[in-house]
Every structure is written in C-alpha cells, then in structure tokens.
Amino acid sequence: YKQNTYNGYKIQPTSLDQKYFLIQRAEVNISNIEAYYTQNISALYQVALENNLSVTGMPCALYYKWDKALGKTDIAAAIPTLSELFIANTQTEKLNPG
C-alpha cells in the first residue's frame, strides 16, 4: 500500500453510516464457507419474510477471524436491516460509523 494504491488498485477511503444486520454466525472450515453462507443467507431471508422485515441492501458475509493455519474462519452470513432486531434463533450485528 503506497500513495493510495494497493496491488495496482486505487484506494478511495470513504465513510459509512452505522449499519445493522440480521446474522447467523459460526466458526467454519474455510473449505465450507460457500455452503455455510448459501444455507444461512436463505434461512435469514426466510426469517425476514416471516417477520415482514425490510432488507436495506445486498446480503454479505462478515468475517471476524481468519486462521489459515487451522483452516477456520469466524464468519456471519448477514442481511442489512433498518435497525437492530431481536428475533428468536438469529443474531444481530451493529457496525459503527466509520
């Protein structure tokens, strides 16, 4: 990273507003990320439909830890929401502005 460039890509810092997510978080094998994400995004959308929640953007994955040596990651399948929610069998995440 030099002069706002990393591996040939121009870096443009930006500020984001506070974000809320409905998530399903777990530690999974790195080789199982795709299966974990696909299964849990579908389940989260089902929860959103059942609870008449407004989804405010694209689904995403939030990574909390990446341990290449152990082949594991702490990951959350996540869908953005308008505010913090409390729904059985799900979790929430709040990302502060920055």
Side-chain angles (χ1 to χ4, degrees):
Y1 178 79
K2 290 183 180 179
Q3 299 177 350
N4 292 330
T5 302
Y6 179 77
N7 285 342
Y9 292 97
K10 185 77 172 162
I11 305 300
Q12 295 180 335
T14 186
S15 294
L16 298 175
D17 295 332
Q18 185 163 280
K19 302 283 185 186
Y20 297 97
F21 296 90
L22 184 64
I23 70 169
Q24 202 60 275
R25 181 178 175 179
E27 187 172 288
V28 300
N29 290 328
I30 291 172
S31 61
N32 295 335
I33 290 172
E34 185 177 348
Y36 177 81
Y37 178 81
T38 301
Q39 177 183 3
N40 286 285
I41 282 295
S42 297
L44 289 171
Y45 271 107
Q46 186 63 38
V47 168
L49 284 171
E50 291 169 357
N51 290 278
N52 296 318
L53 301 178
S54 293
V55 175
T56 60
M58 298 297 294
C60 61
L62 304 176
Y63 291 89
Y64 301 90
K65 181 175 69 172
W66 186 274
D67 191 330
K68 191 173 181 178
L70 291 177
K72 295 197 176 278
T73 185
D74 183 357
I75 182 176
I79 55 174
T81 61
L82 288 173
S83 62
E84 196 167 25
L85 305 165
F86 299 99
I87 299 172
N89 300 317
T90 64
Q91 300 164 302
T92 60
E93 184 68 58
K94 178 177 78 171
L95 298 181
N96 293 322

